[in-house]
Amino acid sequence: MKAAIIGAGSEALYTIKKAHEHGLSVVALDGNPQAEGLKTADKKFVVDISDEDVTIEVLKKEKPDFVLTAPIGRYLTTVGAVNDALGLPGVSKRAAVLCTDKLWFHQKLNEKNLRKCYCYGVEEEKLYKGPLQKGLMSWEEERLTFPAILKPRYGSGSRGIYMPADKQQLKEALYAIGKEPYVLEECVGGEEYGVDGAVTKEGFFMILLRKKENTPPPARQAVGYFSVLPGDCFWLQVKNYIAEVAECLGLQECLLHADVIRTGEGPFVVELSARPSGHNLHNLFTPLCTGVDMAEEYMKYRMGLPYSFEASFTKPMMIHYFDMNGTVKYVPDQSRVEKTLNIKLAAWQCNLKEGDELTGVSDGHSLMGRGFFVLEGEDYANLLVQTQRIKSLFL
């Protein structure tokens, strides 16, 4: 059988490796001729994957049996367009658009009372060059509360996010964003979580719920994730809620990840996309916590082999990235770290060097290259203490 990968950056390497282990031939497409996934695929095409027509024409000739989704941003829509054009299973173009367009995403879920907040599109000059010189427009005066969130309408991650605390800061932020489409919405408070899951013909499966450790607003960049055990009441609330969200968006036979806030009224979905999580989550942390390899199980599902997205266990674990500030004075090796801890070090990858100057974390790009570690412990509090022990070794 043959599988296609649309977007073949470094985060596609794991999926390609697993595909080869299952005897799949992989055809990879990416606009960057140096993309790492192109080097390991059986067949490669340097294609602008934002061009749906060109991508479809290439894959019509290649005739893949299905498309595998590695972590990808806005151009998940191209995956959907390919599935529609070639009659392949997986996310549709319509569902992919709803996942990648934050305004349409909100409007669709708001119709079903699944996303309760005010959210507005900000993309035309008249919205911030004219009326805002005299003050906020009537709908903002009446409905928008502060602090608010101003974020790019398309794409994912913490890029270009503003958190205006009042009308004046909102005016300044609106002028600063230029003409890129943005959305402006209420800031929903509460602890943030991540969800790894899958949708099959049998319905939605929640594989892992992860509690986040974030940097301060507005970026709220995750610097660590802690597994939430299935006995937790919020775990069940999220499972039922995301099942409704996935159905509302029309997701079928795909992997998914979501960001969810725990509010006093229950879960609130910030974003959801029909593809696996990046940052060494779906390919490392989730399998370590649950025994479920999402990428591998999805391949088995597509190949007609026995598969399971049901986690038979969930271990109390944490993945953390090196979010320290200051000059790195010492870099311990793995054995030194293990001697410092009283719990299990399940994974270790450190790319730091003595003398490195570490600045504050503002986005994923500034953090992920530093490396990560995974701990298995007794509970959340214990994992936090051990994390601080590790970070203290460096500075």
Side-chain angles (χ1 to χ4, degrees):
M1 298 181 73
K2 181 187 292 186
I5 292 277
I6 299 172
S10 59
E11 292 203 286
L13 290 173
Y14 183 80
T15 300
I16 294 172
K17 174 178 174 289
K18 284 293 175 181
H20 284 156
E21 288 177 6
H22 285 276
L24 288 167
S25 174
V26 178
V27 53
L29 298 83
D30 198 287
N32 176 10
Q34 303 304 316
E36 293 183 49
L38 294 182
K39 301 171 185 177
T40 60
D42 299 282
K43 203 166 184 179
K44 65 179 181 181
F45 292 90
V46 179
V47 171
D48 178 2
I49 62 172
S50 69
D51 190 325
E52 294 178 2
D53 292 335
V54 171
T55 305
I56 288 169
E57 285 307 308
V58 169
L59 290 178
K60 274 184 178 179
K61 296 175 183 177
E62 290 300 314
K63 299 179 180 178
D65 295 284
F66 52 89
V67 179
L68 291 170
T69 48
I72 188 174
R74 180 173 180 177
Y75 297 115
L76 178 71
T77 52
T78 302
V79 176
V82 167
N83 286 336
D84 289 350
L86 276 62
L88 300 176
V91 65
S92 66
K93 170 72 179 291
R94 179 179 180 277
V97 168
L98 289 173
C99 287
T100 55
D101 184 323
K102 296 183 183 70
L103 182 59
W104 285 11
F105 174 79
H106 167 78
Q107 291 173 342
K108 183 66 177 177
L109 295 179
N110 184 255
E111 289 173 4
K112 299 294 184 180
N113 214 29
L114 292 170
R115 199 171 193 272
K116 303 174 188 176
C117 75
Y118 292 110
C119 178
Y120 308 97
V122 179
E123 56 186 305
E124 295 184 11
E125 187 172 348
K126 64 182 181 181
L127 289 179
Y128 53 92
K129 294 292 188 185
L132 286 172
Q133 292 175 349
K134 300 177 181 178
L136 297 177
M137 291 179 290
S138 61
W139 49 262
E140 291 164 352
E141 291 277 10
E142 295 171 1
R143 300 177 179 178
L144 187 68
T145 59
F146 291 95
I149 294 291
L150 186 66
K151 58 186 179 181
R153 179 170 174 175
Y154 305 103
S156 59
S158 56
R159 174 190 66 85
I161 295 177
Y162 297 83
M163 192 175 180
D166 53 37
K167 296 174 185 178
Q168 182 57 39
Q169 288 187 14
L170 174 59
K171 290 181 188 180
E172 294 169 0
L174 288 170
Y175 276 101
I177 65 176
K179 298 196 178 207
E180 180 182 358
Y182 263 66
V183 293
L184 175 66
E185 68 181 33
E186 292 180 84
C187 178
V188 176
E191 294 180 326
E192 193 167 340
Y193 292 74
V195 176
D196 292 315
V199 180
T200 71
K201 291 179 180 178
E202 287 72 41
F204 169 68
F205 295 87
M206 189 160 81
I207 301 166
L208 180 64
L209 179 65
R210 301 176 263 105
K211 182 178 180 178
K212 293 188 181 185
E213 180 186 343
N214 284 343
T215 60
R220 295 196 295 188
Q221 173 63 45
V223 296
Y225 293 90
F226 302 80
S227 59
V228 179
L229 305 187
D232 185 281
C233 63
F234 187 62
W235 192 97
L236 184 58
Q237 288 180 346
V238 173
K239 178 183 178 182
N240 294 335
Y241 173 67
I242 294 297
E244 290 186 71
V245 170
E247 182 178 3
C248 181
L249 296 174
L251 298 182
Q252 297 180 350
E253 301 188 76
C254 62
L255 301 176
L256 68 79
H257 86 101
D259 293 326
V260 174
I261 292 175
R262 184 174 191 164
T263 75
E265 298 178 354
F268 172 90
V269 63
V270 179
E271 295 181 13
L272 183 149
S273 191
R275 49 90 161 178
S277 51
H279 298 173
N280 290 296
L281 293 170
H282 87 279
N283 59 313
L284 176 68
F285 186 61
T286 299
L288 285 174
C289 288
T290 66
V292 177
D293 187 317
M294 298 171 62
E296 185 171 28
E297 295 304 316
Y298 186 72
M299 291 173 204
K300 288 155 66 174
Y301 173 68
R302 290 269 64 94
M303 296 172 74
L305 300 173
Y307 72 94
S308 176
F309 290 111
E310 295 273 13
S312 56
F313 59 83
T314 303
K315 297 179 180 179
M317 301 186 78
M318 177 216 63
I319 183 170
H320 212 283
Y321 312 100
F322 296 105
D323 61 324
M324 305 88 74
N325 292 330
T327 304
V328 176
K329 298 178 180 177
Y330 171 71
V331 179
D333 59 20
Q334 184 169 345
S335 62
R336 172 73 176 87
V337 174
E338 289 173 335
K339 292 176 183 177
T340 303
L341 303 173
N342 59 17
I343 60 176
K344 180 181 178 181
L345 179 65
W348 175 263
Q349 181 179 308
C350 179
N351 302 324
L352 299 176
K353 302 184 298 295
E354 289 186 19
D356 283 350
E357 294 289 341
L358 304 180
T359 58
V361 175
S362 59
D363 54 39
H365 180 74
S366 65
L367 179 66
M368 294 305 154
R370 299 179 183 182
F372 61 88
F373 53 92
V374 178
L375 301 178
E376 180 180 345
E378 300 170 5
D379 53 35
Y380 176 70
N382 180 242
L383 288 167
L384 277 179
V385 169
Q386 302 304 315
T387 296
Q388 293 306 315
R389 283 188 180 180
I390 290 176
K391 293 195 290 185
S392 69
L393 296 174
F394 289 81
L395 303 176

